[in-house]
Amino acid sequence: MKSSELRQSFLDFLKGKGHHIVPSAPVVPQDDPTLLFTNAGMNQFKDIFLGARQITHLRVADSQKCIRVSGKHNDLEEVGRDTYHHTFFEMLGNWSFGDYFKKEAIAWAWELLTEVWKLPKEKLYATIFEGDQADNVPRDDEAADEWKRQTDIQPDHILAFGKKDNFWEMGETGPCGPCSEIHIDRGPEFCDNDDPAHVCQVNGGCARYIELWNLVFIQYNRDETGALHPLPASHVDTGAGFERLVAVIQKKASNYDTDLFTPILTQISDLTGKPYSDGEEGVAFRVIADHLRALSFAIADGAIPGNEGRGYVLRRILRRAARFGRVLEMHEPFIYKLLHSLVQVMGDAYPEIVQRKEYIARVIRAEEESFGRTLDRGIEIFEQKAADVLQSSETVFPGDDAFVLHDTFGFPLDLTQLMAEEKGLTVDVAGFNTEMEKQRQRSSRAHSV
Ligand code: GLY
């Protein structure tokens, strides 16, 4: 099944269960100051859960564009190093606004995964919330019972976990609730954890068991003080990471080997003259392909790189991608050219990137050009300083050097941290912050004279 067919089959299945299909909301949230980027399918429905907006349909489904690079959900560090984290991803979701609840959500997820998409039942696991005393939320026995009643999952494949894994919240505040996740065991050959003490298991920290779908039972609102308040009605909010599903259904080891990414990787290869391979160059291919998607969709939806807030997140992503371009020996702007293959892959599902293609390319190119002017010199300086540190058998890259890289060469702190980490070093963040503060004081004094 092609990725476009899989996306459509999800929507068709839910339509058959009485859901109204809605378009993805923009990746730049509208009227929600608690979020820099849309990080889950439920964001656009937050006010409905809170009872602050009228509903027009009790059941809806969509494929939502999401970005997770800041706040509560932040996957940036993992991206490129493994094969299944992304800054930008699509989330398939279905919602019930005070209509169906755990029974149907569980039964339909199982039906779609095992009857329609034919995933092997014996490889699937369901998790439920074990409860939390501090929040005064009981163990979710109701979900466990529905798994037993509605499906033929192996009873010993129903597992309970705590708040970190099975209580879902979009941010520090807002609608939230216990969740029930479906994981698949892809087999021991997928384990990528080389810690000798590691044991492969659900939520065990390797790529063998991966989460496919999260069924959230929205029952509470968390307020600014951290207290939970029961909502007047119970809702369903589900999220299935599309790229992972495509990989599993297309029987690919990596999300990047699916048809969502291969045209982009091929174009990177064409432009750089390098094959997509293992090792550091492979990481660079994946980072660039991933970051291209985040940048393009964010820019299409109205964000632009800048020095603050959302704009700075985009700038960090772009600069990270540009630096990985140097790993592939690309010294001229080239990321903007990849829009060509991105539009081929995603343009039908998301026409906004077709309509705004020229604009997105212009914005990315301008950013690549401006950072390109200082990037090579910054890398040289970083290499010298890092060599000095390593030679003196230290493990900490000095904060004042990280500040110079930031201030003079435009290196976001997390880029310097990433480069330091590749050499087994950490950055003295406190020292960096002290220099930032000194500079802030210098500039406020300069403004006051
Ligand atoms: N809101 C469900 C999820 O993001 O997993």
Side-chain angles (χ1 to χ4, degrees):
M1 216 192 267
K2 287 199 270 177
S3 55
S4 52
E5 293 165 343
L6 188 70
R7 194 188 287 109
Q8 196 55 48
S9 78
F10 173 83
L11 299 175
D12 290 345
F13 177 85
L14 270 309
K15 198 170 174 186
K17 304 288 184 197
H19 292 71
H20 177 69
I21 309 303
V22 297
S24 171
V27 84
V28 175
Q30 317 287 297
D31 308 322
D32 188 347
T34 69
L35 282 178
L36 283 184
F37 293 101
T38 297
N39 67 6
M42 56 77 77
N43 296 162
Q44 65 166 316
F45 307 117
K46 183 174 155 183
D47 283 349
I48 297 180
F49 292 136
L50 295 176
R53 179 152 60 95
Q54 282 293 324
I55 31 173
T56 41
H57 301 274
L58 292 174
R59 302 175 181 188
V60 299
D62 75 3
S63 171
Q64 172 66 48
K65 303 172 286 184
C66 299
I67 291 185
R68 289 191 174 176
V69 279
S70 54
K72 190 169 178 66
H73 300 277
N74 182 356
D75 294 335
L76 184 63
E77 306 304 315
E78 274 80 28
V79 172
R81 302 261 158 230
D82 67 22
T83 56
Y84 56 99
H85 277 98
H86 301 289
T87 56
F88 170 90
F89 62 98
E90 292 174 72
M91 185 176 279
L92 305 178
N94 54 294
W95 290 271
S96 153
F97 304 125
D99 184 31
Y100 64 83
F101 203 40
K102 298 181 188 181
K103 175 177 156 199
E104 293 83 351
I106 289 170
W108 293 339
W110 188 253
E111 183 184 339
L112 183 55
L113 291 173
T114 64
E115 305 295 327
V116 181
W117 292 337
K118 309 263 182 247
L119 292 180
K121 294 176 179 175
E122 69 284 1
K123 303 276 184 214
L124 297 177
Y125 288 75
T127 65
I128 59 122
F129 185 46
E130 72 183 8
D132 185 83
Q133 273 192 345
D135 271 340
N136 197 20
V137 178
R139 179 187 162 93
D140 195 355
D141 288 325
E142 187 188 348
D145 289 345
E146 294 300 356
W147 275 108
K148 289 181 204 145
R149 272 202 288 266
Q150 306 303 323
T151 77
D152 50 358
I153 192 169
Q154 286 176 218
D156 61 344
H157 283 199
I158 304 171
L159 309 168
F161 288 90
K163 200 164 158 179
K164 180 174 143 290
D165 297 301
N166 279 86
F167 192 88
W168 199 85
E169 315 195 39
M170 61 175 268
E172 298 313 319
T173 61
C176 53
C179 60
S180 186
E181 294 181 337
I182 301 154
H183 294 242
I184 189 163
D185 175 4
R186 299 197 286 173
E189 66 277 22
F190 283 88
C191 178
D192 57 355
N193 189 325
D194 40 24
D195 179 347
H198 167 74
V199 179
C200 291
Q201 57 193 325
V202 171
N203 291 326
C206 77
R208 172 174 170 180
Y209 289 86
I210 57 167
E211 174 201 330
L212 287 183
W213 202 341
N214 187 9
L215 317 178
V216 186
F217 309 119
I218 300 271
Q219 290 167 276
Y220 304 97
N221 181 33
R222 196 181 291 280
D223 71 18
E224 286 74 15
T225 69
L228 287 184
H229 303 279
L231 291 169
S234 300
H235 314 279
V236 170
D237 153 37
T238 86
F242 182 56
E243 293 73 8
R244 290 179 186 191
L245 267 178
V246 177
V248 166
I249 305 275
Q250 292 185 353
K251 297 193 170 35
K252 302 290 186 192
S254 156
N255 294 1
Y256 293 89
D257 294 340
T258 68
D259 64 346
L260 286 169
F261 285 95
T262 47
I264 304 172
L265 299 178
T266 302
Q267 200 191 350
I268 297 177
S269 199
D270 291 345
L271 291 171
T272 59
K274 291 180 182 291
Y276 173 45
S277 55
D278 291 338
E280 209 46 29
E281 291 194 350
V283 174
F285 268 74
R286 291 192 288 275
V287 167
I288 293 164
D290 171 275
H291 289 11
L292 165 77
R293 294 176 7 130
L295 288 163
S296 302
F297 279 97
I299 295 167
D301 283 346
I304 48 165
N307 279 333
E308 278 169 45
R310 184 177 294 134
Y312 195 57
V313 174
L314 287 192
R315 183 158 279 168
R316 278 165 47 213
I317 295 176
L318 187 287
R319 293 186 174 190
R320 206 164 180 267
R323 182 262 163 180
F324 274 102
R326 295 306 197 258
V327 173
L328 302 177
E329 294 172 54
M330 295 302 283
H331 292 270
E332 298 299 324
F334 73 106
I335 299 166
Y336 76 94
K337 294 184 184 164
L338 300 169
L339 214 47
H340 176 73
S341 44
L342 180 65
V343 163
Q344 266 180 346
V345 181
M346 310 275 287
D348 283 343
Y350 301 101
E352 61 273 29
I353 56 166
V354 184
Q355 283 148 17
R356 310 203 77 190
K357 182 176 166 211
E358 307 304 331
Y359 168 73
I360 301 166
R362 263 204 318 278
V363 173
I364 294 180
R365 184 180 184 163
E367 275 291 303
E368 286 189 86
E369 277 170 354
S370 84
F371 189 43
R373 287 194 274 276
T374 55
L375 177 55
D376 287 319
R377 182 76 189 117
I379 290 176
E380 235 173 79
I381 290 177
F382 172 83
E383 292 294 339
Q384 281 163 10
K385 297 285 176 196
D388 291 348
V389 175
L390 288 167
Q391 204 158 32
S392 55
S393 302
E394 296 287 333
T395 56
V396 181
F397 189 87
D400 49 355
D401 290 322
F403 173 74
V404 171
L405 285 172
H406 174 274
D407 197 45
T408 312
F409 299 96
F411 279 45
L413 176 63
D414 62 356
L415 179 53
T416 304
Q417 285 175 309
L418 173 92
M419 292 164 66
E421 197 184 302
E422 287 169 3
K423 295 189 181 293
L425 303 176
T426 56
V427 176
D428 171 15
V429 176
F432 172 86
N433 287 335
T434 307
E435 294 302 318
M436 288 290 279
E437 179 55 21
K438 280 192 213 156
Q439 190 212 41
R440 202 188 58 73
Q441 286 171 4
R442 277 195 301 273
S443 81
S444 70
R445 267 202 303 277
H447 278 111
S448 58
V449 275

mmCIF file of all heavy atoms in Angstrom, residues 9-36:
data_model
loop_
_atom_site.group_PDB
_atom_site.id
_atom_site.type_symbol
_atom_site.label_atom_id
_atom_site.label_comp_id
_atom_site.label_asym_id
_atom_site.label_seq_id
_atom_site.Cartn_x
_atom_site.Cartn_y
_atom_site.Cartn_z
ATOM 1 N N SER A 9 -7.143 5.222 3.385
ATOM 2 C CA SER A 9 -7.893 4.087 3.942
ATOM 3 C C SER A 9 -8.250 4.352 5.406
ATOM 4 O O SER A 9 -9.301 3.930 5.891
ATOM 5 C CB SER A 9 -7.151 2.768 3.764
ATOM 6 O OG SER A 9 -6.133 2.631 4.716
ATOM 7 N N PHE A 10 -7.389 5.078 6.118
ATOM 8 C CA PHE A 10 -7.717 5.469 7.500
ATOM 9 C C PHE A 10 -8.972 6.348 7.495
ATOM 10 O O PHE A 10 -9.928 6.099 8.245
ATOM 11 C CB PHE A 10 -6.534 6.229 8.120
ATOM 12 C CG PHE A 10 -6.835 6.809 9.477
ATOM 13 C CD1 PHE A 10 -6.730 6.019 10.613
ATOM 14 C CD2 PHE A 10 -7.239 8.130 9.618
ATOM 15 C CE1 PHE A 10 -7.018 6.546 11.867
ATOM 16 C CE2 PHE A 10 -7.531 8.663 10.862
ATOM 17 C CZ PHE A 10 -7.415 7.863 11.989
ATOM 18 N N LEU A 11 -8.950 7.355 6.635
ATOM 19 C CA LEU A 11 -10.083 8.294 6.609
ATOM 20 C C LEU A 11 -11.364 7.587 6.166
ATOM 21 O O LEU A 11 -12.438 7.799 6.740
ATOM 22 C CB LEU A 11 -9.759 9.485 5.692
ATOM 23 C CG LEU A 11 -8.540 10.320 6.127
ATOM 24 C CD1 LEU A 11 -8.218 11.396 5.094
ATOM 25 C CD2 LEU A 11 -8.762 10.974 7.503
ATOM 26 N N ASP A 12 -11.242 6.702 5.177
ATOM 27 C CA ASP A 12 -12.431 5.982 4.694
ATOM 28 C C ASP A 12 -13.009 5.083 5.790
ATOM 29 O O ASP A 12 -14.228 5.003 5.968
ATOM 30 C CB ASP A 12 -12.073 5.107 3.471
ATOM 31 C CG ASP A 12 -11.762 5.956 2.244
ATOM 32 O OD1 ASP A 12 -12.083 7.159 2.255
ATOM 33 O OD2 ASP A 12 -11.174 5.407 1.284
ATOM 34 N N PHE A 13 -12.119 4.414 6.528
ATOM 35 C CA PHE A 13 -12.580 3.524 7.599
ATOM 36 C C PHE A 13 -13.369 4.324 8.642
ATOM 37 O O PHE A 13 -14.458 3.929 9.063
ATOM 38 C CB PHE A 13 -11.373 2.823 8.245
ATOM 39 C CG PHE A 13 -11.742 1.950 9.408
ATOM 40 C CD1 PHE A 13 -12.164 0.635 9.212
ATOM 41 C CD2 PHE A 13 -11.680 2.432 10.716
ATOM 42 C CE1 PHE A 13 -12.515 -0.171 10.292
ATOM 43 C CE2 PHE A 13 -12.024 1.634 11.795
ATOM 44 C CZ PHE A 13 -12.449 0.327 11.590
ATOM 45 N N LEU A 14 -12.808 5.459 9.052
ATOM 46 C CA LEU A 14 -13.491 6.251 10.096
ATOM 47 C C LEU A 14 -14.775 6.879 9.562
ATOM 48 O O LEU A 14 -15.760 7.017 10.302
ATOM 49 C CB LEU A 14 -12.547 7.321 10.654
ATOM 50 C CG LEU A 14 -11.678 6.908 11.856
ATOM 51 C CD1 LEU A 14 -12.517 6.280 12.959
ATOM 52 C CD2 LEU A 14 -10.557 5.982 11.504
ATOM 53 N N LYS A 15 -14.752 7.222 8.284
ATOM 54 C CA LYS A 15 -15.977 7.760 7.665
ATOM 55 C C LYS A 15 -17.076 6.704 7.764
ATOM 56 O O LYS A 15 -18.229 6.994 8.105
ATOM 57 C CB LYS A 15 -15.689 8.111 6.210
ATOM 58 C CG LYS A 15 -16.686 9.044 5.597
ATOM 59 C CD LYS A 15 -16.172 9.514 4.258
ATOM 60 C CE LYS A 15 -17.264 10.330 3.581
ATOM 61 N NZ LYS A 15 -16.894 10.702 2.230
ATOM 62 N N GLY A 16 -16.679 5.468 7.514
ATOM 63 C CA GLY A 16 -17.623 4.342 7.621
ATOM 64 C C GLY A 16 -18.154 4.157 9.039
ATOM 65 O O GLY A 16 -19.181 3.517 9.247
ATOM 66 N N LYS A 17 -17.456 4.695 10.021
ATOM 67 C CA LYS A 17 -17.911 4.614 11.415
ATOM 68 C C LYS A 17 -18.566 5.931 11.842
ATOM 69 O O LYS A 17 -18.592 6.276 13.028
ATOM 70 C CB LYS A 17 -16.738 4.310 12.359
ATOM 71 C CG LYS A 17 -15.955 3.056 12.016
ATOM 72 C CD LYS A 17 -16.738 1.778 12.324
ATOM 73 C CE LYS A 17 -15.890 0.539 12.056
ATOM 74 N NZ LYS A 17 -16.700 -0.685 11.948
ATOM 75 N N GLY A 18 -19.028 6.690 10.875
ATOM 76 C CA GLY A 18 -19.816 7.885 11.191
ATOM 77 C C GLY A 18 -19.016 9.145 11.479
ATOM 78 O O GLY A 18 -19.548 10.101 12.056
ATOM 79 N N HIS A 19 -17.733 9.168 11.095
ATOM 80 C CA HIS A 19 -16.915 10.359 11.358
ATOM 81 C C HIS A 19 -16.980 11.337 10.191
ATOM 82 O O HIS A 19 -16.986 10.938 9.029
ATOM 83 C CB HIS A 19 -15.455 9.981 11.603
ATOM 84 C CG HIS A 19 -15.232 9.234 12.882
ATOM 85 N ND1 HIS A 19 -15.655 7.942 13.064
ATOM 86 C CD2 HIS A 19 -14.649 9.619 14.044
ATOM 87 C CE1 HIS A 19 -15.336 7.542 14.297
ATOM 88 N NE2 HIS A 19 -14.727 8.550 14.911
ATOM 89 N N HIS A 20 -16.957 12.614 10.554
ATOM 90 C CA HIS A 20 -16.870 13.679 9.562
ATOM 91 C C HIS A 20 -15.383 13.953 9.338
ATOM 92 O O HIS A 20 -14.634 14.157 10.303
ATOM 93 C CB HIS A 20 -17.579 14.919 10.124
ATOM 94 C CG HIS A 20 -17.496 16.102 9.234
ATOM 95 N ND1 HIS A 20 -18.155 16.172 8.030
ATOM 96 C CD2 HIS A 20 -16.814 17.273 9.380
ATOM 97 C CE1 HIS A 20 -17.886 17.330 7.464
ATOM 98 N NE2 HIS A 20 -17.083 18.014 8.256
ATOM 99 N N ILE A 21 -14.932 13.968 8.085
ATOM 100 C CA ILE A 21 -13.499 14.158 7.811
ATOM 101 C C ILE A 21 -13.211 15.650 7.682
ATOM 102 O O ILE A 21 -13.862 16.351 6.898
ATOM 103 C CB ILE A 21 -13.077 13.415 6.516
ATOM 104 C CG1 ILE A 21 -13.547 11.951 6.559
ATOM 105 C CG2 ILE A 21 -11.564 13.522 6.305
ATOM 106 C CD1 ILE A 21 -13.053 11.135 7.741
ATOM 107 N N VAL A 22 -12.243 16.122 8.468
ATOM 108 C CA VAL A 22 -11.907 17.557 8.428
ATOM 109 C C VAL A 22 -10.471 17.710 7.924
ATOM 110 O O VAL A 22 -9.665 16.789 8.047
ATOM 111 C CB VAL A 22 -12.041 18.226 9.823
ATOM 112 C CG1 VAL A 22 -13.474 18.164 10.309
ATOM 113 C CG2 VAL A 22 -11.091 17.606 10.839
ATOM 114 N N PRO A 23 -10.154 18.908 7.385
ATOM 115 C CA PRO A 23 -8.763 19.116 6.960
ATOM 116 C C PRO A 23 -7.839 19.297 8.155
ATOM 117 O O PRO A 23 -8.297 19.620 9.257
ATOM 118 C CB PRO A 23 -8.818 20.408 6.139
ATOM 119 C CG PRO A 23 -10.178 20.964 6.293
ATOM 120 C CD PRO A 23 -11.020 20.045 7.102
ATOM 121 N N SER A 24 -6.549 19.098 7.936
ATOM 122 C CA SER A 24 -5.569 19.371 8.986
ATOM 123 C C SER A 24 -5.635 20.856 9.345
ATOM 124 O O SER A 24 -5.800 21.708 8.472
ATOM 125 C CB SER A 24 -4.172 19.057 8.456
ATOM 126 O OG SER A 24 -3.192 19.493 9.357
ATOM 127 N N ALA A 25 -5.484 21.154 10.623
ATOM 128 C CA ALA A 25 -5.336 22.564 11.015
ATOM 129 C C ALA A 25 -3.918 23.000 10.629
ATOM 130 O O ALA A 25 -3.035 22.155 10.447
ATOM 131 C CB ALA A 25 -5.522 22.697 12.519
ATOM 132 N N PRO A 26 -3.678 24.323 10.525
ATOM 133 C CA PRO A 26 -2.306 24.764 10.234
ATOM 134 C C PRO A 26 -1.351 24.308 11.327
ATOM 135 O O PRO A 26 -1.757 24.099 12.473
ATOM 136 C CB PRO A 26 -2.416 26.290 10.235
ATOM 137 C CG PRO A 26 -3.861 26.596 10.109
ATOM 138 C CD PRO A 26 -4.617 25.438 10.652
ATOM 139 N N VAL A 27 -0.095 24.178 10.965
ATOM 140 C CA VAL A 27 0.895 23.730 11.936
ATOM 141 C C VAL A 27 1.271 24.884 12.896
ATOM 142 O O VAL A 27 1.840 24.663 13.959
ATOM 143 C CB VAL A 27 2.089 23.134 11.156
ATOM 144 C CG1 VAL A 27 3.063 24.178 10.700
ATOM 145 C CG2 VAL A 27 2.750 22.052 11.911
ATOM 146 N N VAL A 28 0.916 26.081 12.488
ATOM 147 C CA VAL A 28 1.056 27.251 13.369
ATOM 148 C C VAL A 28 -0.298 27.449 14.040
ATOM 149 O O VAL A 28 -1.273 27.771 13.370
ATOM 150 C CB VAL A 28 1.434 28.505 12.551
ATOM 151 C CG1 VAL A 28 1.465 29.735 13.438
ATOM 152 C CG2 VAL A 28 2.772 28.302 11.862
ATOM 153 N N PRO A 29 -0.362 27.216 15.371
ATOM 154 C CA PRO A 29 -1.684 27.236 16.013
ATOM 155 C C PRO A 29 -2.370 28.605 15.927
ATOM 156 O O PRO A 29 -1.700 29.631 15.983
ATOM 157 C CB PRO A 29 -1.382 26.905 17.477
ATOM 158 C CG PRO A 29 0.014 26.432 17.515
ATOM 159 C CD PRO A 29 0.723 26.952 16.312
ATOM 160 N N GLN A 30 -3.652 28.561 15.773
ATOM 161 C CA GLN A 30 -4.448 29.779 15.717
ATOM 162 C C GLN A 30 -4.994 30.035 17.126
ATOM 163 O O GLN A 30 -5.595 29.158 17.700
ATOM 164 C CB GLN A 30 -5.632 29.613 14.747
ATOM 165 C CG GLN A 30 -5.278 28.916 13.449
ATOM 166 C CD GLN A 30 -4.466 29.806 12.528
ATOM 167 O OE1 GLN A 30 -4.937 30.833 12.086
ATOM 168 N NE2 GLN A 30 -3.222 29.415 12.285
ATOM 169 N N ASP A 31 -4.745 31.181 17.667
ATOM 170 C CA ASP A 31 -5.330 31.575 18.956
ATOM 171 C C ASP A 31 -5.005 30.638 20.113
ATOM 172 O O ASP A 31 -5.884 30.374 20.922
ATOM 173 C CB ASP A 31 -6.880 31.646 18.863
ATOM 174 C CG ASP A 31 -7.328 32.492 17.710
ATOM 175 O OD1 ASP A 31 -6.662 33.509 17.468
ATOM 176 O OD2 ASP A 31 -8.319 32.136 17.057
ATOM 177 N N ASP A 32 -3.810 30.067 20.178
ATOM 178 C CA ASP A 32 -3.446 29.285 21.359
ATOM 179 C C ASP A 32 -2.044 29.664 21.822
ATOM 180 O O ASP A 32 -1.046 29.129 21.336
ATOM 181 C CB ASP A 32 -3.510 27.774 21.076
ATOM 182 C CG ASP A 32 -3.318 26.967 22.361
ATOM 183 O OD1 ASP A 32 -2.900 27.561 23.384
ATOM 184 O OD2 ASP A 32 -3.591 25.756 22.356
ATOM 185 N N PRO A 33 -1.965 30.615 22.781
ATOM 186 C CA PRO A 33 -0.653 31.096 23.225
ATOM 187 C C PRO A 33 0.150 30.040 23.993
ATOM 188 O O PRO A 33 1.329 30.251 24.269
ATOM 189 C CB PRO A 33 -0.994 32.289 24.127
ATOM 190 C CG PRO A 33 -2.412 32.117 24.503
ATOM 191 C CD PRO A 33 -3.080 31.277 23.453
ATOM 192 N N THR A 34 -0.477 28.889 24.326
ATOM 193 C CA THR A 34 0.272 27.876 25.088
ATOM 194 C C THR A 34 1.155 27.025 24.176
ATOM 195 O O THR A 34 1.936 26.216 24.651
ATOM 196 C CB THR A 34 -0.666 26.929 25.888
ATOM 197 O OG1 THR A 34 -1.386 26.099 24.969
ATOM 198 C CG2 THR A 34 -1.628 27.696 26.760
ATOM 199 N N LEU A 35 1.032 27.192 22.872
ATOM 200 C CA LEU A 35 1.769 26.321 21.935
ATOM 201 C C LEU A 35 2.498 27.130 20.871
ATOM 202 O O LEU A 35 1.921 28.060 20.311
ATOM 203 C CB LEU A 35 0.773 25.449 21.162
ATOM 204 C CG LEU A 35 0.159 24.229 21.798
ATOM 205 C CD1 LEU A 35 -0.817 23.612 20.816
ATOM 206 C CD2 LEU A 35 1.208 23.220 22.211
ATOM 207 N N LEU A 36 3.763 26.740 20.563
ATOM 208 C CA LEU A 36 4.443 27.380 19.428
ATOM 209 C C LEU A 36 4.010 26.723 18.124
ATOM 210 O O LEU A 36 3.853 27.369 17.100
ATOM 211 C CB LEU A 36 5.957 27.248 19.568
ATOM 212 C CG LEU A 36 6.649 28.185 20.553
ATOM 213 C CD1 LEU A 36 8.163 27.983 20.495
ATOM 214 C CD2 LEU A 36 6.320 29.638 20.281
#
